[in-house]
Amino acid sequence: MFYRLTRPLTHLVERYLPDPYVFVLLLTLIVLILASTVTPFTPIDAINAWGQGLWTLLTFAMQMLLVLLSGYMLASTPICVRALDKMAQKAKPPTVAIILITVISMLASWINWGFGLVVGALFAKSLAKHINVDYRVLVASAYSGFIVWHGGLSGSVPLTIATAGHFSVADIGVVETANTLFAPFNIILLIAMLIIMPILNACLLPPSEKQVMIDKHKLADTNPDTTSPTTHMTPAHKLEHNPWLGSAVGLLGCTYLAHYFFIENNGLNLNSVIGIFLFLAILLHKTPANLLNSLQNAMPGGAGVVIQFPFYAGIMAVMVDSGLAQQISRAFVAISTADTLPFWSFMSAGLVNIFIPSGGGQWAIQAPIVLPAAEMLGAEVPRVAMAVAWGDAWTNLIQPFWALPVLAIAGLKARDIMGFCLLQLLISGVVIAAILTWA
């Protein structure tokens, strides 16, 4: 249905969108030039801020790498492979597969953004094994579910302002999630996305003769069970193939997680998601040899995370230290009224997110600007805060930073899906902006 629209967009992206690594290098140069020309920073100041900021995301980079690797290892366990395959076999015809993967990815992202990224990518691979459907659209649909994460249970902005002692508490107090995540306008937004995105993605499918399929041999299981003993095993080999060792450690980890969630009443966060993936993978793979074999298969996909995250950290440092990010936000606030502030906050957050793809980091930059503006203009503080949150999530659709785990698992390049993501961005942006402004 939208093939005539997506065809030129896809062609444009395939021709001109470089690899995400090249993209972040270009973005680095652009930010350094802007900081040196439109802010008080000298070129040396900008370079120093960039160099000092390169290492500030190392913890987060490791978390993202573990999300990717542990999620892959869990999905490659025999029980998970069978479960995903069984679900995938029932998702026929192709339009049903597209709708199903969008809904599942969206629901998983609403629970936790890291969970949603991995679940969507892994389910896409399972669907592609059983259904002849355009693999690019399938993966783009899986990634599109990520758009709801900042309006969900792991949203950093609503959770931050709901925490006692947050950095803006003196200005706005503690804002309960009943006024943000569970406010009527946010519920309407989530329902709208849950209806519109699956239908939109189904309409993105090209005619059958124009669809790009993936060679199913590339999706074959490359993690055979290695528990069968071989002759003349050394004591070391026996330990590596001992199912009791992995099972014992997996059970220990699951016991800890049960205590963490049900006794201490903690919720999902990035670390707990990694723990779930990791300990279940250890338990279900049984032997260390099986787990390590799966890890070897997963490792190549993590290269992009390792090399690119330091550059984004450097970009963030320059944007913040030079005041460039604040200038962008102030420019949007300057043209706002009480009624239009949510809209312009949404748009400014979407633009800033291209350079600072971090919800928490972006809120720390924009909150000191949009919150006083909201109070001065008499706008709804919770709505303005959520507008920043949704703006951050919105342009993730075309930000390769967040697509890296999905692309690594799916085995695609950013240019393969970004043409479809661009149309998703345009249509979803109109809907989100309208609801934030008038709902």
Side-chain angles (χ1 to χ4, degrees), residues 302-391:
V305 172
V306 173
I307 193 63
Q308 292 181 45
F309 273 42
F311 288 97
Y312 277 110
I315 290 170
M316 288 173 59
V318 176
M319 292 283 292
V320 175
D321 294 349
S322 68
L324 185 58
Q326 293 88 333
Q327 286 188 22
I328 294 173
S329 295
R330 289 192 185 98
F332 282 97
V333 167
I335 59 176
S336 301
T337 65
D339 294 329
T340 62
L341 184 60
F343 170 77
W344 290 118
S345 297
F346 169 72
M347 297 300 295
S348 65
L351 179 58
V352 171
N353 181 59
I354 299 296
F355 301 93
I356 306 178
S358 168
Q362 184 171 340
W363 177 243
I365 295 166
Q366 292 195 261
I369 298 168
V370 299
L371 293 180
E375 294 191 327
M376 181 181 67
L377 296 172
E380 298 178 47
V381 169
R383 187 183 292 264
V384 170
M386 290 305 295
V388 173
W390 277 94

Coordinates of all heavy atoms in Angstrom, one line a residue, residues 302-391:
G302 N 28.4 -7.8 18.5 CA 28.7 -6.8 19.4 C 29.8 -5.8 19.0 O 30.0 -4.8 19.8
A303 N 30.4 -6.0 17.9 CA 31.5 -5.1 17.5 C 31.0 -3.6 17.3 O 31.7 -2.7 17.8 CB 32.1 -5.6 16.2
G304 N 29.8 -3.4 16.8 CA 29.4 -2.0 16.6 C 29.2 -1.3 17.9 O 29.5 -0.1 18.0
V305 N 28.7 -2.0 18.9 CA 28.5 -1.4 20.2 C 29.8 -1.0 20.8 O 30.0 0.1 21.3 CB 27.8 -2.4 21.2 CG1 27.7 -1.8 22.6 CG2 26.3 -2.7 20.7
V306 N 30.8 -1.8 20.7 CA 32.1 -1.6 21.3 C 32.8 -0.4 20.7 O 33.3 0.5 21.4 CB 33.0 -2.8 21.2 CG1 34.4 -2.5 21.7 CG2 32.4 -4.0 22.0
I307 N 32.7 -0.2 19.4 CA 33.5 0.8 18.7 C 32.7 2.2 18.7 O 33.3 3.2 18.7 CB 33.9 0.4 17.3 CG1 34.9 1.4 16.7 CG2 32.6 0.4 16.4 CD1 36.2 1.4 17.5
Q308 N 31.4 2.1 18.7 CA 30.6 3.4 18.5 C 30.3 4.1 19.8 O 30.2 5.4 19.8 CB 29.4 3.1 17.7 CG 29.7 2.7 16.3 CD 28.4 2.4 15.5 OE1 27.5 3.2 15.5 NE2 28.4 1.3 14.7
F309 N 30.0 3.4 20.9 CA 29.5 4.1 22.1 C 30.5 5.1 22.6 O 30.1 6.2 23.1 CB 29.2 3.0 23.1 CG 27.8 2.5 23.0 CD1 27.2 2.2 21.8 CD2 27.0 2.3 24.1 CE1 26.0 1.7 21.7 CE2 25.7 1.8 24.0 CZ 25.2 1.5 22.8
P310 N 31.8 4.9 22.6 CA 32.7 6.0 23.0 C 32.5 7.3 22.2 O 32.6 8.4 22.8 CB 34.1 5.4 22.9 CG 33.9 3.9 23.0 CD 32.6 3.7 22.3
F311 N 32.3 7.2 20.9 CA 32.1 8.4 20.1 C 30.8 9.1 20.5 O 30.8 10.3 20.5 CB 32.1 8.0 18.6 CG 33.5 7.6 18.1 CD1 33.9 6.3 18.0 CD2 34.4 8.6 17.8 CE1 35.1 5.9 17.6 CE2 35.7 8.3 17.3 CZ 36.0 6.9 17.2
Y312 N 29.8 8.4 20.8 CA 28.5 9.0 21.2 C 28.7 9.7 22.6 O 28.2 10.8 22.9 CB 27.4 8.0 21.3 CG 26.7 7.8 19.9 CD1 26.9 6.6 19.2 CD2 26.0 8.9 19.3 CE1 26.3 6.5 18.0 CE2 25.4 8.7 18.1 CZ 25.6 7.5 17.4 OH 25.0 7.3 16.2
A313 N 29.5 9.1 23.4 CA 29.8 9.7 24.7 C 30.6 11.0 24.5 O 30.3 12.0 25.2 CB 30.7 8.7 25.6
G314 N 31.5 11.0 23.6 CA 32.2 12.3 23.3 C 31.3 13.3 22.7 O 31.4 14.5 23.1
I315 N 30.4 13.0 21.8 CA 29.5 13.9 21.3 C 28.6 14.5 22.4 O 28.3 15.7 22.4 CB 28.6 13.2 20.2 CG1 29.4 12.9 19.0 CG2 27.4 14.1 19.9 CD1 28.7 12.0 18.0
M316 N 28.1 13.6 23.3 CA 27.3 14.1 24.4 C 28.0 15.1 25.3 O 27.5 16.2 25.7 CB 26.8 12.9 25.3 CG 25.8 12.0 24.6 SD 25.4 10.5 25.6 CE 24.9 11.3 27.1
A317 N 29.3 14.9 25.5 CA 30.1 15.8 26.4 C 30.2 17.1 25.7 O 30.1 18.2 26.4 CB 31.5 15.2 26.6
V318 N 30.5 17.2 24.4 CA 30.6 18.5 23.7 C 29.3 19.2 23.7 O 29.2 20.4 24.0 CB 31.1 18.2 22.3 CG1 31.1 19.6 21.5 CG2 32.5 17.6 22.3
M319 N 28.2 18.5 23.4 CA 26.9 19.1 23.4 C 26.5 19.7 24.7 O 25.9 20.8 24.8 CB 25.8 18.0 23.0 CG 25.9 17.5 21.6 SD 25.2 18.7 20.4 CE 23.5 18.7 20.8
V320 N 26.8 19.0 25.8 CA 26.5 19.5 27.2 C 27.4 20.6 27.6 O 27.0 21.7 28.0 CB 26.5 18.4 28.2 CG1 26.2 18.9 29.6 CG2 25.4 17.3 27.8
D321 N 28.7 20.4 27.6 CA 29.7 21.3 28.1 C 29.7 22.6 27.3 O 30.0 23.7 27.9 CB 31.1 20.7 28.1 CG 31.2 19.5 29.1 OD1 30.3 19.3 29.8 OD2 32.2 18.7 29.0
S322 N 29.5 22.6 26.1 CA 29.5 23.8 25.3 C 28.2 24.6 25.4 O 28.2 25.8 25.0 CB 29.8 23.5 23.8 OG 28.7 22.8 23.2
G323 N 27.2 23.9 25.8 CA 25.9 24.6 25.9 C 25.1 24.5 24.6 O 24.0 25.1 24.4
L324 N 25.6 23.7 23.6 CA 24.9 23.6 22.3 C 23.6 22.9 22.4 O 22.6 23.4 21.8 CB 25.8 22.7 21.4 CG 25.4 22.6 19.9 CD1 25.2 24.0 19.3 CD2 26.3 21.7 19.1
A325 N 23.5 21.9 23.3 CA 22.2 21.3 23.5 C 21.2 22.2 24.1 O 20.0 22.3 23.7 CB 22.3 20.0 24.3
Q326 N 21.6 23.0 25.1 CA 20.8 23.9 25.7 C 20.3 25.0 24.8 O 19.1 25.5 24.8 CB 21.5 24.6 26.9 CG 21.8 23.6 28.1 CD 23.1 22.9 27.9 OE1 23.6 22.7 26.8 NE2 23.7 22.4 29.0
Q327 N 21.2 25.4 23.8 CA 20.8 26.4 22.9 C 19.6 25.9 22.0 O 18.7 26.7 21.6 CB 22.0 26.8 22.0 CG 23.0 27.7 22.7 CD 24.1 28.2 21.7 OE1 23.9 28.3 20.5 NE2 25.2 28.6 22.3
I328 N 19.7 24.7 21.6 CA 18.7 24.1 20.8 C 17.3 24.1 21.5 O 16.3 24.5 21.0 CB 19.0 22.7 20.4 CG1 20.2 22.7 19.4 CG2 17.8 22.0 19.7 CD1 20.8 21.3 19.1
S329 N 17.4 23.7 22.8 CA 16.1 23.7 23.6 C 15.6 25.1 23.8 O 14.4 25.3 23.7 CB 16.4 23.0 24.9 OG 16.8 21.7 24.8
R330 N 16.4 26.0 24.1 CA 16.0 27.4 24.3 C 15.3 28.0 23.1 O 14.4 28.8 23.2 CB 17.1 28.3 24.8 CG 17.6 28.0 26.2 CD 18.6 29.1 26.7 NE 19.1 28.7 28.0 CZ 20.3 28.2 28.2 NH1 21.1 27.9 27.1 NH2 20.7 27.9 29.4
A331 N 15.9 27.7 21.9 CA 15.3 28.2 20.7 C 13.9 27.7 20.5 O 13.0 28.5 20.0 CB 16.2 27.7 19.5
F332 N 13.6 26.5 20.8 CA 12.2 26.0 20.7 C 11.3 26.6 21.8 O 10.1 26.9 21.5 CB 12.2 24.5 20.8 CG 12.6 23.8 19.5 CD1 13.9 23.3 19.4 CD2 11.7 23.6 18.5 CE1 14.3 22.7 18.2 CE2 12.1 22.9 17.3 CZ 13.4 22.5 17.2
V333 N 11.8 26.7 23.0 CA 11.0 27.2 24.1 C 10.6 28.7 23.8 O 9.6 29.2 24.2 CB 11.8 27.1 25.4 CG1 11.1 28.0 26.5 CG2 11.9 25.6 25.9
A334 N 11.5 29.4 23.2 CA 11.3 30.9 22.9 C 10.1 31.1 22.1 O 9.5 32.2 22.1 CB 12.6 31.5 22.3
I335 N 9.7 30.2 21.3 CA 8.5 30.4 20.4 C 7.3 29.6 20.9 O 6.3 29.5 20.2 CB 8.9 29.9 18.9 CG1 9.2 28.4 18.9 CG2 10.0 30.7 18.3 CD1 9.5 27.8 17.5
S336 N 7.3 29.2 22.2 CA 6.2 28.4 22.7 C 5.2 29.3 23.5 O 5.6 30.3 24.0 CB 6.8 27.3 23.6 OG 7.7 26.5 22.9
T337 N 4.0 28.7 23.6 CA 3.0 29.2 24.5 C 2.6 28.1 25.4 O 3.1 27.0 25.3 CB 1.7 29.7 23.7 OG1 1.1 28.5 23.1 CG2 2.1 30.7 22.7
A338 N 1.7 28.3 26.4 CA 1.3 27.3 27.3 C 0.7 26.1 26.5 O 0.9 24.9 26.9 CB 0.2 27.8 28.3
D339 N 0.0 26.4 25.4 CA -0.6 25.3 24.7 C 0.4 24.6 23.7 O 0.2 23.4 23.5 CB -1.8 25.8 23.8 CG -2.9 26.3 24.7 OD1 -3.1 25.8 25.8 OD2 -3.6 27.3 24.3
T340 N 1.3 25.3 23.2 CA 2.3 24.7 22.3 C 3.6 24.2 22.9 O 4.3 23.6 22.2 CB 2.6 25.7 21.1 OG1 3.3 26.8 21.7 CG2 1.3 26.2 20.4
L341 N 3.8 24.5 24.2 CA 5.1 24.0 24.8 C 5.3 22.5 24.7 O 6.4 22.1 24.4 CB 5.1 24.5 26.2 CG 6.5 24.2 26.9 CD1 7.7 24.8 26.2 CD2 6.4 24.6 28.4
P342 N 4.2 21.7 25.0 CA 4.4 20.2 24.8 C 4.9 19.9 23.4 O 5.8 19.0 23.2 CB 3.1 19.6 25.1 CG 2.4 20.6 26.0 CD 2.9 22.0 25.5
F343 N 4.3 20.5 22.4 CA 4.7 20.2 21.0 C 6.1 20.6 20.7 O 6.9 19.8 20.2 CB 3.8 21.0 20.0 CG 4.2 20.9 18.6 CD1 4.0 19.8 17.8 CD2 4.9 22.0 18.0 CE1 4.5 19.7 16.5 CE2 5.3 22.0 16.7 CZ 5.1 20.8 15.9
W344 N 6.5 21.8 21.1 CA 7.9 22.2 20.8 C 8.9 21.5 21.7 O 10.0 21.3 21.3 CB 8.0 23.8 21.0 CG 7.3 24.5 19.9 CD1 6.3 25.4 20.1 CD2 7.6 24.5 18.5 NE1 5.9 25.9 18.9 CE2 6.7 25.4 17.9 CE3 8.5 23.8 17.7 CZ2 6.6 25.6 16.5 CZ3 8.5 24.0 16.3 CH2 7.6 24.9 15.8
S345 N 8.5 21.1 22.9 CA 9.4 20.3 23.7 C 9.6 18.9 23.1 O 10.7 18.4 23.1 CB 8.8 20.1 25.1 OG 8.6 21.3 25.8
F346 N 8.5 18.4 22.5 CA 8.6 17.1 21.7 C 9.6 17.2 20.5 O 10.5 16.4 20.3 CB 7.2 16.7 21.3 CG 7.2 15.6 20.3 CD1 7.5 14.3 20.7 CD2 6.8 15.8 18.9 CE1 7.4 13.2 19.7 CE2 6.8 14.8 18.0 CZ 7.1 13.5 18.4
M347 N 9.4 18.3 19.8 CA 10.3 18.5 18.6 C 11.7 18.7 19.0 O 12.6 18.2 18.3 CB 9.7 19.7 17.8 CG 8.3 19.5 17.2 SD 8.2 18.0 16.1 CE 9.3 18.5 14.8
S348 N 12.0 19.6 20.0 CA 13.3 19.8 20.4 C 14.0 18.6 20.9 O 15.2 18.3 20.7 CB 13.4 20.9 21.5 OG 12.7 20.5 22.7
A349 N 13.2 17.8 21.7 CA 13.8 16.5 22.2 C 14.2 15.6 21.1 O 15.2 14.9 21.1 CB 12.8 15.9 23.2
G350 N 13.3 15.5 20.1 CA 13.6 14.7 18.9 C 14.9 15.1 18.2 O 15.7 14.3 17.8
L351 N 15.1 16.4 18.1 CA 16.4 16.9 17.5 C 17.6 16.6 18.3 O 18.6 16.1 17.9 CB 16.2 18.4 17.2 CG 17.4 19.1 16.5 CD1 17.8 18.4 15.2 CD2 17.2 20.6 16.3
V352 N 17.5 17.0 19.6 CA 18.6 16.7 20.5 C 19.0 15.3 20.6 O 20.2 14.9 20.7 CB 18.3 17.3 21.9 CG1 19.4 16.9 22.9 CG2 18.2 18.8 21.9
N353 N 18.0 14.4 20.5 CA 18.2 13.0 20.6 C 19.1 12.4 19.5 O 19.8 11.4 19.7 CB 16.9 12.2 20.6 CG 17.1 10.7 20.7 OD1 17.6 10.2 21.7 ND2 16.6 10.0 19.7
I354 N 19.1 13.1 18.3 CA 20.0 12.7 17.2 C 21.5 12.7 17.7 O 22.3 11.9 17.3 CB 19.8 13.5 16.0 CG1 18.4 13.4 15.5 CG2 20.8 13.2 14.9 CD1 18.0 12.0 15.0
F355 N 21.8 13.7 18.5 CA 23.2 13.9 19.0 C 23.4 13.3 20.4 O 24.5 12.9 20.7 CB 23.5 15.4 19.1 CG 23.3 16.2 17.8 CD1 22.1 16.8 17.4 CD2 24.3 16.2 16.9 CE1 21.9 17.5 16.2 CE2 24.2 16.9 15.7 CZ 23.0 17.5 15.3
I356 N 22.4 13.2 21.2 CA 22.5 12.7 22.5 C 21.5 11.5 22.7 O 20.4 11.8 23.3 CB 22.3 13.8 23.6 CG1 23.2 14.9 23.4 CG2 22.6 13.2 25.0 CD1 23.1 16.1 24.3
P357 N 21.8 10.4 22.2 CA 20.8 9.3 22.3 C 20.8 8.6 23.6 O 21.1 7.4 23.8 CB 21.3 8.3 21.2 CG 22.7 8.5 21.1 CD 23.0 10.0 21.4
S358 N 20.4 9.4 24.7 CA 20.3 8.8 26.0 C 19.2 9.6 26.7 O 19.3 10.8 26.9 CB 21.7 9.1 26.8 OG 21.5 8.8 28.1
G359 N 18.2 8.8 27.1 CA 17.0 9.4 27.7 C 17.3 10.2 29.0 O 16.9 11.3 29.2
G360 N 18.1 9.5 29.9 CA 18.4 10.2 31.1 C 19.3 11.4 30.9 O 19.1 12.4 31.5
G361 N 20.3 11.2 30.1 CA 21.3 12.3 29.8 C 20.6 13.5 29.2 O 20.8 14.6 29.5
Q362 N 19.7 13.2 28.2 CA 18.9 14.3 27.6 C 18.0 15.0 28.5 O 17.9 16.2 28.5 CB 18.1 13.7 26.4 CG 17.4 14.7 25.6 CD 16.8 14.1 24.3 OE1 17.2 13.0 23.9 NE2 15.8 14.8 23.8
W363 N 17.4 14.3 29.4 CA 16.5 15.0 30.4 C 17.3 15.9 31.3 O 16.8 17.0 31.7 CB 15.8 13.9 31.2 CG 14.9 14.5 32.3 CD1 15.0 14.3 33.6 CD2 13.7 15.4 32.1 NE1 14.0 15.0 34.3 CE2 13.2 15.7 33.4 CE3 13.1 15.9 31.0 CZ2 12.1 16.5 33.5 CZ3 12.0 16.7 31.1 CH2 11.5 17.0 32.4
A364 N 18.5 15.5 31.7 CA 19.3 16.3 32.6 C 19.7 17.6 31.9 O 19.9 18.7 32.5 CB 20.6 15.6 32.9
I365 N 19.7 17.6 30.5 CA 20.1 18.8 29.8 C 18.8 19.7 29.6 O 18.9 20.9 29.7 CB 20.6 18.4 28.4 CG1 22.0 17.7 28.6 CG2 20.8 19.6 27.5 CD1 22.5 17.0 27.3
Q366 N 17.7 19.1 29.2 CA 16.5 19.8 28.8 C 15.6 20.2 30.0 O 14.9 21.2 29.9 CB 15.7 19.0 27.8 CG 16.4 18.9 26.5 CD 15.5 18.4 25.3 OE1 15.5 17.3 25.0 NE2 14.8 19.4 24.8
A367 N 15.7 19.4 31.1 CA 14.8 19.8 32.2 C 15.0 21.2 32.8 O 14.0 21.9 33.0 CB 15.0 18.7 33.3
P368 N 16.2 21.6 33.0 CA 16.4 23.0 33.5 C 15.9 24.1 32.6 O 15.8 25.2 33.0 CB 17.9 23.1 33.7 CG 18.4 21.7 33.8 CD 17.5 20.9 32.8
I369 N 15.6 23.7 31.3 CA 15.0 24.7 30.4 C 13.5 24.6 30.2 O 12.8 25.6 30.3 CB 15.7 24.5 29.0 CG1 17.2 24.7 29.1 CG2 15.1 25.5 28.0 CD1 18.0 24.3 27.9
V370 N 13.0 23.4 30.0 CA 11.6 23.2 29.8 C 10.7 23.3 31.0 O 9.6 23.8 31.0 CB 11.3 21.9 29.0 CG1 12.0 21.9 27.7 CG2 11.7 20.7 29.9
L371 N 11.3 22.9 32.2 CA 10.5 23.0 33.4 C 10.2 24.4 33.9 O 9.0 24.7 34.2 CB 11.1 22.1 34.5 CG 11.2 20.6 34.3 CD1 11.8 19.9 35.4 CD2 9.8 20.1 34.0
P372 N 11.2 25.3 34.0 CA 10.9 26.7 34.3 C 10.0 27.3 33.2 O 9.1 28.1 33.6 CB 12.3 27.3 34.3 CG 13.2 26.2 34.6 CD 12.6 25.0 33.9
A373 N 10.1 27.0 32.0 CA 9.3 27.5 30.9 C 7.8 27.0 31.1 O 6.9 27.8 31.0 CB 9.8 27.1 29.6
A374 N 7.6 25.8 31.5 CA 6.3 25.3 31.8 C 5.6 26.0 32.9 O 4.4 26.4 32.9 CB 6.4 23.8 32.1
E375 N 6.4 26.3 34.0 CA 5.8 27.0 35.1 C 5.5 28.5 34.8 O 4.5 29.0 35.2 CB 6.8 26.9 36.3 CG 6.9 25.5 36.9 CD 7.6 25.5 38.2 OE1 8.5 26.3 38.4 OE2 7.3 24.6 39.0
M376 N 6.4 29.1 34.0 CA 6.2 30.5 33.6 C 5.0 30.7 32.7 O 4.3 31.6 32.8 CB 7.5 31.0 33.0 CG 7.4 32.5 32.5 SD 9.0 33.0 31.7 CE 8.9 32.0 30.2
L377 N 4.9 29.7 31.8 CA 3.8 29.8 30.8 C 2.5 29.2 31.3 O 1.4 29.4 30.7 CB 4.2 29.1 29.5 CG 5.4 29.7 28.7 CD1 5.8 28.8 27.6 CD2 5.0 31.1 28.2
G378 N 2.5 28.5 32.4 CA 1.3 27.8 33.0 C 1.0 26.6 32.2 O -0.2 26.2 32.2
A379 N 2.0 25.9 31.6 CA 1.7 24.6 30.9 C 1.7 23.5 32.0 O 2.2 23.6 33.1 CB 2.8 24.4 29.9
E380 N 1.2 22.3 31.5 CA 1.2 21.2 32.4 C 2.6 20.6 32.5 O 3.1 20.1 31.5 CB 0.2 20.1 31.9 CG -1.3 20.5 31.8 CD -2.1 19.4 31.2 OE1 -1.9 18.2 31.6 OE2 -2.9 19.7 30.3
V381 N 3.2 20.6 33.7 CA 4.5 20.0 33.9 C 4.6 18.6 33.5 O 5.5 18.2 32.7 CB 5.0 20.3 35.3 CG1 6.3 19.5 35.5 CG2 5.2 21.8 35.5
P382 N 3.7 17.7 33.9 CA 3.8 16.3 33.5 C 3.7 16.0 32.0 O 4.4 15.2 31.5 CB 2.6 15.6 34.2 CG 2.3 16.5 35.4 CD 2.6 17.9 34.9
R383 N 2.8 16.8 31.4 CA 2.7 16.7 29.9 C 4.0 17.1 29.2 O 4.4 16.5 28.2 CB 1.5 17.5 29.4 CG 1.2 17.2 27.9 CD 0.0 18.1 27.5 NE -1.2 17.7 28.1 CZ -2.1 16.9 27.6 NH1 -1.9 16.4 26.4 NH2 -3.2 16.6 28.2
V384 N 4.6 18.2 29.7 CA 5.8 18.7 29.1 C 6.9 17.7 29.3 O 7.7 17.4 28.4 CB 6.2 20.1 29.6 CG1 7.6 20.5 29.2 CG2 5.2 21.2 29.2
A385 N 7.0 17.1 30.5 CA 8.1 16.2 30.7 C 7.9 14.9 29.8 O 8.9 14.4 29.3 CB 8.0 15.7 32.2
M386 N 6.7 14.5 29.7 CA 6.4 13.3 28.8 C 6.6 13.7 27.3 O 7.0 12.8 26.5 CB 5.0 12.8 29.0 CG 4.8 12.1 30.4 SD 6.0 10.8 30.7 CE 5.6 9.6 29.4
A387 N 6.4 14.9 27.0 CA 6.7 15.4 25.6 C 8.2 15.2 25.3 O 8.6 14.7 24.2 CB 6.3 16.8 25.4
V388 N 9.1 15.6 26.3 CA 10.5 15.3 26.1 C 10.8 13.8 26.0 O 11.6 13.4 25.1 CB 11.3 16.0 27.3 CG1 12.8 15.6 27.2 CG2 11.1 17.5 27.3
A389 N 10.1 13.0 26.8 CA 10.3 11.6 26.8 C 9.9 11.0 25.5 O 10.7 10.2 24.9 CB 9.5 10.9 27.9
W390 N 8.8 11.4 25.0 CA 8.3 10.8 23.7 C 9.2 11.3 22.5 O 9.4 10.6 21.5 CB 6.9 11.1 23.4 CG 5.9 10.2 24.1 CD1 5.4 10.3 25.4 CD2 5.5 8.9 23.6 NE1 4.6 9.2 25.7 CE2 4.6 8.3 24.6 CE3 5.7 8.2 22.5 CZ2 4.1 7.1 24.4 CZ3 5.1 7.0 22.3 CH2 4.3 6.4 23.3
G391 N 9.7 12.6 22.6 CA 10.5 13.1 21.6 C 11.8 12.3 21.5 O 12.4 12.0 20.4

